[in-house]
Amino acid sequence: MKYPYSKRVIEHFRHPHHMGRMKNPDAVGVAGNPVCGDVMYIYIKVKDNRIIDLKWETMGCAAAIATTSMLADLAIGKTLDEAEKLTKKEVADALEGLPPIKMHCSNLAADALRDAIKKYREKHEN
Amino acid sequence: MQVYLDNATTTRTADEVIEAMLPFFNEKYGLPSSEFGHSMGIDASDALEQSRKTIANYLNVKPNEIVFTSGETESNNLAVLGVARAKGKGHIITTSIERLSILNTCRHLETKGFEITYLPVDKHGLVSPDDLQSAIRDDTILVSVQHANPEIGTVQDIKAIGEICGEHNILFHTDASSSFGLEDLPMEHIDLATFTSHLIHGPKGIASLFVREDITIKPIFFGSNNEFGIRPGFENIPGIVGFAKAVTLLSKKYVEKMRKQRDHIINELTAIPHTYLNGHPEKRLCNNVNVSFSFIEGESVVLHLDMRGIATSTGSACSSPNLKGSYVLEAVGQDPEVSHGSLRLTLSRYTTDREIEYALKHIKDVVSKLREMSPFKDEDTFRKMAKEEHK
Ligand code: FES
């Protein structure tokens, strides 16, 4: 196949992991992409400061879908502190790279996750 | 199964066309020459003039009104620049949904002191003759309005527009590259018109500009005196022969077939909840379907469909190299989220009912798969969020 995407991107795009809405999440993060208008929701379940489950919903291009799916794989099992530090580069690298013009899509996933973690902390600090 | 539904981008070259062209590569490969030259050159001249006649007859115009060019981009450039160069200065009227070969030529002319009015279109993509009427000035030298839009398929009222131009004695050009062979064109109201070969199953790299006999335009290339002095350069004889052959294969029966198929697809797709037709419900090219699916993004739709062997296109920002949504959908006043979820299917005479059923089945499947993935399930939240995103 002669797509501009890596094999891994295509795999995640075709068969995304952890996709869907979560019932009773501990926090929901949202990120939108002002460049092209895509939107992503990330739902997390947290136990002892660790992400024990993550689900997501994305409206966006193949890169946006694949990066959310990859991010879910990377984030599940990590502590909040670790997960918070996930960068778009790590996500893109795990996907064997993204076309340069699609790098902004991978921001979206990391941003939505950070938003979820922030909201979780706000709720649980008091 | 391989299903090609992107015939507004280009079409498959017909076998008959290829066959007609072949001898002109390795047997009759001469270039047109004067009647006092060698036979190979004379044969090429004959082929050139015969092809010109075929196309002129089809359009009901004179052979010396057909100028061959390298494509619709060149024809459109030649029409607008050719008139501008002949007149030297003035005002040009066009629309906001023309092909880029018109729009960018006009933008270039703006830097050279010409003034341009870009007429708006209504929500179906129609230009209002009243708007045209009121945009006309004493120094208007040219009106250029496309016959049909390649993206949303809307067909303009060329007769009404041509009549207004005629009353004011203003030259009227129409880009008929998308409608050629599919819609009748009232040639008697037109001064210049662009026709192209690769959208009617002819070869790529050849097109023509109709230039009414009694008007003067200036060339935009410089060289020899070919094509009545309007378009220098050696003639692309195999291309021209193929173009003319493609014209002889045009038939109303294909138009009827495509229209039925188009209506069937539109009915099936708009029956999917939260799906909207882009373009005009009736004044529409017989081979064009353009819909928007709420809650999902077009590049993902196109990619999924391609992996299932179905070639389509979208106006989504995500699929464009500059991350901008379709300017045509923007001009018809659609919010960005509409172009974001748009899908265009364009048919050809070769499109079969079986291919269409296959495509429909997969489109429905892909849409529901992507909607499952989408955070949006209702229009209100979707539109509100989309508005905030695009601020
Ligand atoms: S989400 Fe729009 S380009 Fe990736």
Side-chain angles (χ1 to χ4, degrees), chain B residues 358-370:
Chain B
Y358 176 84
L360 283 172
K361 182 177 126 221
H362 285 285
I363 293 167
K364 290 176 192 170
D365 186 55
V366 164
V367 169
S368 79
K369 192 170 162 170
L370 289 171

Side-chain angles (χ1 to χ4, degrees), chain A residues 12-27:
Chain A
H12 279 270
F13 172 63
R14 294 182 84 158
H15 308 287
H17 307 171
H18 310 287
M19 183 267 288
R21 200 167 280 189
M22 184 186 283
K23 269 195 204 128
N24 308 316
D26 291 325

Side-chain angles (χ1 to χ4, degrees), chain B residues 190-206:
Chain B
I190 296 165
D191 301 300
L192 302 121
T194 297
F195 301 100
T196 196
S197 150
H198 75 110
L199 294 175
I200 59 162
H201 307 286
K204 296 166 181 44
I206 184 74

Side-chain angles (χ1 to χ4, degrees), chain A residues 1 3 5 10 13-16 19-21 30-41 43 56-63 65 101-102 104, chain B residues 294-297 299-301 303-304 306-308 317-324 340 369-370 372-377 381-382 385-386 389-391:
Chain A
M1 272 186 269
Y3 297 119
Y5 294 118
I10 296 289
F13 172 63
R14 294 182 84 158
H15 308 287
M19 183 267 288
R21 200 167 280 189
V30 184
N33 190 339
V35 186
C36 52
D38 303 297
V39 181
M40 189 173 293
Y41 280 53
Y43 306 85
W56 56 267
E57 291 177 310
T58 291
M59 176 184 73
C61 72
I65 290 170
I101 196 178
K102 295 287 183 175
H104 74 276
Chain B
S294 295
F295 322 143
I296 61 178
E297 188 283 317
E299 188 215 84
S300 335
V301 179
L303 185 55
H304 267 301
D306 192 65
M307 294 189 303
R308 300 169 188 211
C318 300
S319 82
S320 85
N322 56 1
L323 294 176
K324 286 215 177 71
H340 202 224
K369 192 170 162 170
L370 289 171
E372 228 176 278
M373 219 178 279
S374 170
F376 302 112
K377 316 285 175 198
T381 341
F382 171 59
M385 184 81 187
E389 277 318 308
H390 285 285
K391 250 188 233 143

